[in-house]
Amino acid sequence: MWFDSSFSIAMNLAWLLSFWILCTSSFSQGALSPGGTVNVGAIFTFSSINGRVAKIAMKAAEDDINSDPSLLGGRKLSINMHDSNFSGFMGIIGALQFLETDTVAVIGPQTAVMAHVLSHLANELQVPFLSFTALDPTLSPLQFPYFIQTAPNDLFQMTAIADMVSYYGWSEVTVVFNDDDQNRNGINVLGDKLAERRCKVSYKAALPPDTKATRSDVQDELAKILRMESRVIVLNTFKITGLLVFDVAKGLGMMENGFVWIVTSWLSTVIDSTSPLPAKIANSIQGVLALRPHTPDSKRKRDFVSHWNQLSNGSIGLNPYGLYAYDTVWLLAQALKSFFDQGNTISFTNDSRLGGMGGGGYLNLGALSIFDGGSQLLKNILQTSMTGLTGPFRFNPDRSILHPSYDIINVLETGCQQVGYWSNYSGLSVVPPETLYGKAANRSSSSQHLQSVVWPGGKTAKPRGWVFPNNGKELQIGIPDRVSYRDFVSIVNGTNVVQGYCIDVFLAAIKLLPYAVPHKFIPYGDGHKNPSYYDLVYKITTGVQLPFPFANTPRRFTLI
């Protein structure tokens, strides 16, 4: 069941604060960071793909920043990393550790579930949290001013998917997603964006959060989808669930002709960072369309990519979130440089409201203190403009990233092929978005283009996107079994075949519809005399079951 969990989050946060502070005896009075060190925290699951890539990229950025002592006025940047290990509880513990040790900012958390909780701490203690992976579009800067998304949030990814659905002329999609804050809220945004394009989500298949979804959970939902009309499936999950969905779908024949799979950016990170892909995974994702955050080509980016193998010791491939991790550290360093150039110092002050909640001295709430320069550092972050590995980097007035854009890739038997781009500026195109920024924005349908796609099953013809559903309710159409005017409608003697001018017009009309209309013609009358329409209408309105000679069982008519 989906519901507003604000009260539950607040209660959990209060309990965890009490738990942590009872377990610590430290008392932070607030001072300059010792030894000229600027402390920054980072909270990730370092066994995940994005966690592993981010750890390497953040360390590379830290080394590059510290190689220039003048950047921070002789101070050293120290990124202290905490492994949340797929646990929300451990993520909260890590944040509390940082916030009682004079930390000026935290990079992370990795997931939106944790971001919703920790942003309350960030607001209270005025410590900026910067995340390039917790991209829930409902993490509003109005509610959480100290939480900053340093990569395009999922509002733009869902807009890109809606534009793709509209471009191909499909009217309905089925969505499969992990039922957590980020994925659920992303799907809600997708529904809104589809509605703007006169399309809709016809069914939502909610799966448990990433590490808890089982094969049985997936099989049950995909079996339901198989009985439905839509064959356009949007998959918005994380890696573990997503790969499980494709494995089950392959076994159910859902990676064959007629199906369409559009996948959010988690799949491109798997492809980019895992080389070569295991054969079982590669075989289960053929024909899929996936999104990848777009980063413009540059010499600096090419140099970093060429240096990546040395940085990672060949342990993992680079994906765009590694580039965002590097740029996020540099963004913070540039904001800190401005902070120190403005004459500010790092200091912390005890919150009198927390100190007054000691309850007889049992809770040492003074261990958590307010960063005095937090509001100024936040202002500097939002005003920073730089060119990073991801290209020109600055925030729009609404705090979204400048020029959000995505690559659209098609997974083939021989690898991946890029079929186009999407940007918030120009929509769908076959040329890099940065080549269009100098031109007038054109979002007309005639300007939207993608290259040819190889769909599941190996076909290049665009799938229709729907089939006649196995569980759909038939449209029951009453026809008169008349003696006269048989050229308009008649029943071939001794058969169930219905023919005539009216039938031909009806069948031609439903072929023009972009969706299926299961239907059945049901005769009324005995064929020896013209039936009374008045009697038929009366029986329909009174709900009388009408036995017909060509129906195996009595049926209830509905007036159409």
Side-chain angles (χ1 to χ4, degrees):
M1 179 178 180
W2 302 345
F3 55 91
D4 185 346
S5 59
S6 298
F7 177 77
S8 176
I9 289 173
M11 293 301 295
N12 290 338
L13 182 59
W15 182 87
L16 286 162
L17 277 167
S18 301
F19 170 83
W20 173 251
I21 297 166
L22 278 170
C23 296
T24 182
S25 61
S26 61
F27 190 88
S28 177
Q29 291 283 345
L32 289 174
S33 298
T37 299
V38 181
N39 291 318
V40 173
I43 305 173
F44 287 86
T45 293
F46 290 118
S47 59
S48 67
I49 286 179
N50 283 339
R52 292 168 63 195
V53 169
K55 184 176 184 179
I56 298 167
M58 289 189 294
K59 183 64 171 65
E62 179 187 33
D63 290 344
D64 290 345
I65 291 164
N66 289 334
S67 67
D68 180 3
S70 66
L71 185 65
L72 298 179
R75 301 170 182 84
K76 290 287 186 180
L77 182 70
S78 177
I79 302 179
N80 305 299
M81 303 196 186
H82 176 84
D83 189 353
S84 57
N85 195 27
F86 296 102
S87 168
F89 177 78
M90 293 306 297
I92 292 175
I93 294 300
L96 291 170
Q97 285 179 320
F98 292 142
L99 294 174
E100 68 154 14
T101 54
D102 295 353
T103 296
V104 300
V106 176
I107 300 174
Q110 187 168 343
T111 66
V113 175
M114 290 311 307
H116 278 278
V117 176
L118 296 181
S119 291
H120 292 281
L121 285 174
N123 286 354
E124 181 67 27
L125 303 179
Q126 298 181 20
V127 175
F129 277 61
L130 302 88
S131 182
F132 46 87
T133 54
L135 303 176
D136 180 354
T138 69
L139 283 163
S140 166
L142 296 176
Q143 182 180 10
F144 303 120
Y146 281 86
F147 181 80
I148 307 159
Q149 294 172 324
T150 59
N153 76 36
D154 283 351
L155 165 67
F156 303 105
Q157 185 165 207
M158 296 305 159
T159 305
I161 292 174
D163 277 347
M164 293 166 65
V165 171
S166 177
Y167 170 78
Y168 287 114
W170 299 313
S171 60
E172 296 185 7
V173 304
T174 295
V175 296
V176 180
F177 63 100
N178 286 125
D179 193 8
D180 57 48
D181 288 347
Q182 181 157 327
N183 292 299
R184 182 193 321 116
N185 291 333
I187 290 302
N188 291 338
V189 170
L190 176 62
D192 293 340
K193 294 300 177 182
L194 286 171
E196 292 173 5
R197 292 152 178 80
R198 298 185 179 181
C199 307
K200 68 176 183 178
V201 173
S202 59
Y203 179 70
K204 295 180 179 180
L207 299 172
D210 193 41
T211 57
K212 298 180 180 179
T214 66
R215 177 171 288 270
S216 177
D217 294 327
V218 174
Q219 286 175 332
D220 289 346
E221 287 299 334
L222 293 189
K224 293 178 186 176
I225 293 171
L226 266 176
R227 297 192 295 270
M228 296 178 183
E229 177 181 314
S230 176
R231 286 296 182 261
V232 181
I233 304 171
V234 175
L235 182 59
N236 187 36
T237 62
F238 293 116
K239 172 196 169 184
I240 295 172
T241 304
L243 294 180
L244 178 59
V245 167
F246 279 125
D247 186 43
V248 174
K250 179 76 171 177
L252 293 175
M254 298 176 71
M255 302 305 298
E256 303 299 330
N257 293 335
F259 284 90
V260 175
W261 289 83
I262 302 175
V263 187
T264 49
S265 59
W266 69 265
L267 181 59
S268 65
T269 65
V270 173
I271 294 170
D272 291 340
S273 295
T274 310
S275 182
L277 278 175
K280 184 178 181 181
I281 294 176
N283 291 335
S284 69
I285 59 175
Q286 300 300 310
V288 166
L289 287 177
L291 297 179
R292 173 199 286 136
H294 174 71
T295 56
D297 184 40
S298 67
K299 182 180 184 303
R300 191 177 176 198
K301 175 183 169 182
R302 290 194 300 271
D303 290 344
F304 187 80
V305 171
S306 65
H307 191 48
W308 178 259
N309 197 53
Q310 180 180 345
L311 292 172
S312 65
N313 294 318
S315 61
I316 191 169
L318 176 64
N319 67 55
Y321 293 106
L323 304 178
Y324 279 109
Y326 185 93
D327 281 357
T328 298
V329 178
W330 267 99
L331 169 68
L332 183 55
Q334 295 286 1
L336 284 166
K337 181 181 186 304
S338 298
F339 179 84
F340 293 126
D341 289 347
Q342 292 159 350
N344 297 298
T345 59
I346 296 176
S347 63
F348 295 80
T349 301
N350 293 335
D351 189 335
S352 59
R353 292 171 298 174
L354 295 177
M357 296 172 61
Y362 292 106
L363 294 180
N364 182 17
L365 293 172
L368 298 174
S369 52
I370 298 172
F371 176 28
D372 297 326
S375 61
Q376 184 60 53
L377 180 59
L378 173 65
K379 183 178 179 181
N380 290 351
I381 290 170
L382 297 175
Q383 291 179 347
T384 295
S385 178
M386 67 181 198
T387 299
L389 300 181
T390 59
F393 193 107
R394 69 174 185 267
F395 293 96
N396 293 314
D398 64 356
R399 292 177 44 163
S400 63
I401 295 296
L402 178 71
H403 294 322
S405 55
Y406 294 88
D407 301 334
I408 301 173
I409 62 174
N410 184 200
V411 183
L412 307 176
E413 186 176 354
T414 56
C416 292
Q417 173 179 304
Q418 188 157 329
V419 298
Y421 306 86
W422 178 91
S423 78
N424 198 44
Y425 184 79
S426 54
L428 301 171
S429 68
V430 293
V431 298
E434 56 271 19
T435 65
L436 302 174
Y437 295 147
K439 304 176 182 178
N442 185 356
R443 297 297 295 270
S444 65
S445 58
S446 61
S447 69
Q448 305 297 290
H449 300 288
L450 292 175
Q451 295 176 354
S452 177
V453 172
V454 178
W455 305 98
K459 302 291 186 180
T460 56
K462 185 198 76 174
R464 183 171 59 178
W466 57 268
V467 295
F468 292 100
N470 292 330
N471 65 342
K473 184 178 180 181
E474 288 183 330
L475 177 64
Q476 297 182 16
I477 304 166
I479 61 169
D481 190 3
R482 302 170 54 92
V483 176
S484 59
Y485 300 108
R486 294 181 61 83
D487 289 339
F488 287 93
V489 59
S490 64
I491 301 166
V492 177
N493 291 333
T495 72
N496 290 342
V497 177
V498 180
Q499 62 184 14
Y501 175 75
C502 293
I503 302 300
D504 293 341
V505 171
F506 173 80
L507 294 176
I510 64 171
K511 286 181 180 179
L512 299 176
L513 296 175
Y515 48 83
V517 183
H519 61 277
K520 185 177 183 66
F521 295 111
I522 301 178
Y524 176 65
D526 57 13
H528 300 297
K529 60 182 179 181
N530 292 335
S532 168
Y533 287 105
Y534 294 106
D535 290 345
L536 173 59
V537 171
Y538 175 76
K539 290 178 180 178
I540 292 172
T541 57
T542 56
V544 175
Q545 287 192 324
L546 304 173
F548 298 102
F550 294 96
N552 294 326
T553 59
R555 295 179 181 269
R556 189 179 301 276
F557 260 67
T558 301
L559 184 61
I560 301 174

